[in-house]
Amino acid sequence: MNDTGEGKVTKERNGKRLVLSEQAFEKVTETLNWLVAKTQARTVIFCDVNGHLVAQRGETVGYDANALCAVAAGEFSATSELAKMIGQSDSFRYLYHEGPESNVYICRVNPDFFLVVVFDHSVALGMVRVFARKAIESLADVKQTGLEAPGPESFLDVEFSTLLRREVDQSLGF
Amino acid sequence: MFVNWATNEVVFRIVYYGPSLSGKTTNLKYIYSKLDPSLRGTLVTLQTKEERTLFFDFLQLQFGEIGGKKPRFHLYTVPGQVYYAYSRGIILNGVDGIVFVADSQRRRLHENLDSLLDLEERLIEQGRSIEEIPFVLQYNKRDLPDLLPVAELEAKLNYYRRPSFEAVATRGEGVLNTLRAILHLVIEEAQPSAVRKASWTQVP
């Protein structure tokens, strides 16, 4: 358990604190491990719809995974709007991009999260589709639980804030 | 704020808002060029062929490890053109701090005001208010002719009396001052509320 004793991923949205429990987080990492092993995908990333990386498995070198999540989240949101425009009752569940060396398969897990699978041409798309679908089924109930609105206590203490401000100033040359 | 306790990352989202061609992307490009590569990630710019921002720009700043936690700041810009309201709404989702980049030229005043109004509307859609979010203004393009005096920009745009900075982003002037101000405010906001100083508003 982390030092808040509440979960593995925490965020604030509109004054409400949302938490992904440790149990849910473990389920995510187990499923990602399973998906990499089954598909031989280069990388599998689990992120939230705002583009925050939650967990990642597979090869991590060669690209900026945080930037990848931000762009994938943006793309997912844009295609949700596209779905609305053509009268879909819900957003698209799968997006696929085929490149000269690598392919990207993005799947919606639930309204809060999606999965990004990066794989090369030695891996069959059909296999990625089948196993990604199974992974989604197993992760569909992974949700962030709402907690009480944050009170005077916060995630960060005064010392952290002071040190971080100092680090920011040094890094920016002030 | 997003906290990943598995990786000990604490992520803050900062959005550069403002009318089209006010210099939001230029701010990010300058920050990217000035910061040591160990302090920042890849600069992602999603632009049209005419170098207008199509969806957003993204840059992660990372300031080492403090007390076991890894603070990260995700800087986003929004596309300024009126018809990209939907994209702007998405990017503002979960925002921790906002930099409003205004174009100081007299003829752009109405676009600045429209963009500010648009910002407030997008936040209201998300059940939020600009008054509860760390917010600074940057009066950019101070090197161009036919500028509005800063006092007039303050009177017209800075009605919440937040910190403001003059800038020439193409030369980097004022860019890091603006960034520093919003980072400080965001860090302060993340502290326990009892110790937050009343520093959101300007000192008279």
Side-chain angles (χ1 to χ4, degrees), chain B residues 1-203:
Chain B
M1 178 166 51
F2 176 89
V3 186
N4 189 330
W5 296 102
T7 56
N8 275 324
E9 287 181 338
V10 182
V11 184
F12 301 96
R13 190 182 188 94
I14 292 168
V15 175
Y16 280 68
Y17 215 91
S20 62
L21 296 170
S22 67
K24 301 175 290 296
T25 301
T26 311
N27 266 266
L28 250 63
K29 283 183 172 170
Y30 183 78
I31 293 164
Y32 178 80
S33 74
K34 276 311 205 193
L35 257 62
D36 187 277
S38 66
L39 299 171
R40 44 103 175 136
T42 313
L43 174 65
V44 178
T45 55
L46 304 181
Q47 295 181 329
T48 65
K49 273 194 273 187
E50 293 79 31
E51 296 198 345
R52 305 287 294 273
T53 302
L54 180 62
F55 204 151
F56 58 83
D57 306 307
F58 172 82
L59 177 64
Q60 173 174 283
L61 305 185
Q62 52 226 16
F63 294 102
E65 195 167 324
I66 295 169
K69 297 187 183 84
K70 298 172 189 162
R72 307 281 185 255
F73 294 90
H74 285 179
L75 308 187
Y76 284 85
T77 66
V78 295
Q81 291 101 306
V82 175
Y83 41 87
Y84 289 132
Y86 174 75
S87 304
R88 288 193 290 275
I90 292 168
I91 292 155
L92 279 175
N93 206 353
V95 67
D96 296 299
I98 297 169
V99 175
F100 186 85
V101 182
D103 187 327
S104 299
Q105 296 174 93
R106 187 175 297 277
R107 63 185 174 84
R108 301 294 311 276
L109 177 64
H110 284 292
E111 277 130 307
N112 290 326
L113 283 165
D114 285 348
S115 182
L116 259 180
L117 190 64
D118 175 74
L119 169 62
E120 297 205 51
E121 282 174 4
R122 300 280 85 76
L123 289 171
I124 288 166
E125 279 171 6
Q126 298 177 12
R128 302 187 72 185
S129 155
I130 202 164
E131 291 173 71
E132 45 124 334
I133 299 171
F135 177 57
V136 301
L137 295 97
Q138 182 187 81
Y139 304 131
N140 193 21
K141 307 198 179 186
R142 299 304 298 170
D143 57 333
L144 294 185
D146 198 26
L147 296 175
L148 278 177
V150 170
E152 198 171 336
L153 285 166
E154 284 282 282
K156 295 270 170 47
L157 303 178
N158 197 2
Y159 37 84
Y160 290 112
R161 305 289 296 157
R162 299 302 178 86
S164 61
F165 301 87
E166 293 182 53
V168 182
T170 48
R171 298 203 295 254
E173 293 169 23
V175 171
L176 295 184
N177 282 321
T178 309
L179 175 65
R180 178 188 186 230
I182 194 66
L183 294 185
H184 275 236
L185 289 179
V186 165
I187 294 164
E188 191 165 307
E189 175 65 10
Q191 284 185 158
S193 54
V195 297
R196 266 179 231 153
K197 286 174 278 177
S199 64
W200 276 25
T201 49
Q202 290 175 324
V203 179

